């Protein structure tokens, strides 16, 4: 669990360029600050569909990847269903790493 995605997520969290938790994620989506939305693959179907719908509605790059535990570990927090990346460069780096399978 020391791949580029985990390193970038941790760095992004320390830089203050990510938010997690339902209220914070939804608030930043509404403010149009989110560049990338990562939804945990093991999230319940209802919550997963809500986040995917939000991403589609707001034209966000939305990725279903990692587990709740992995997202929480990468951020230094408890398990998280979703994390919103607020910076273009972090979003690009994380999405490219996920596309290449470099978790």
């Amino acid at each position: 669990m020391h791949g580029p995605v985990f390193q970038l997520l941790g760095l992004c969290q320390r830089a203050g360029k990510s938010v997690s938790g339902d209220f914070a994620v939804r608030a930043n989506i509404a403010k149009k600050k989110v560049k990338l939305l990562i939804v945990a693959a093991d999230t319940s179907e209802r919550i997963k569909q809500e986040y995917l719908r939000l991403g589609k509605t707001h034209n966000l790059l939305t990725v279903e990847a990692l587990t709740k535990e992995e997202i929480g570990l990468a951020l230094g927090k408890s398990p998280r269903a979703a994390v919103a990346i607020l910076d273009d460069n972090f979003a690009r780096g994380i999405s490219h790493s996920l596309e290449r399978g470099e978790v």
Side-chain angles (χ1 to χ4, degrees):
M1 290 204 335
H2 297 287
V5 172
F6 287 96
Q7 292 173 352
L8 285 170
L9 280 173
L11 195 59
C12 188
Q13 175 67 29
R14 288 189 298 278
K17 300 295 182 181
S18 70
V19 293
S20 58
D22 189 56
F23 181 77
V25 169
R26 289 176 188 268
N28 281 281
I29 288 173
K31 293 177 187 174
K32 301 190 184 306
K33 290 185 176 183
V34 177
K35 308 302 181 198
L36 170 66
L37 179 62
I38 301 172
V39 181
D42 63 344
T43 301
S44 72
E45 274 307 307
R46 183 182 63 80
I47 293 173
K48 191 184 301 182
Q49 292 307 316
E50 282 182 37
Y51 280 124
L52 294 175
R53 181 187 52 77
L54 273 173
K56 187 175 181 180
T57 302
H58 292 275
N59 292 324
L60 296 175
L61 176 58
T62 307
V63 180
E64 187 180 326
L66 310 173
T67 64
K68 293 189 292 188
E69 188 71 33
E70 290 171 334
I71 291 173
L73 265 160
L75 299 175
K77 296 180 177 282
S78 60
R80 303 293 165 144
V83 59
I85 308 302
L86 309 177
D87 181 80
D88 284 320
N89 292 321
F90 279 119
R92 194 172 337 147
I94 292 169
S95 65
H96 287 314
S97 291
L98 286 171
E99 285 173 7
R100 290 190 302 256
E102 299 173 343
V103 180

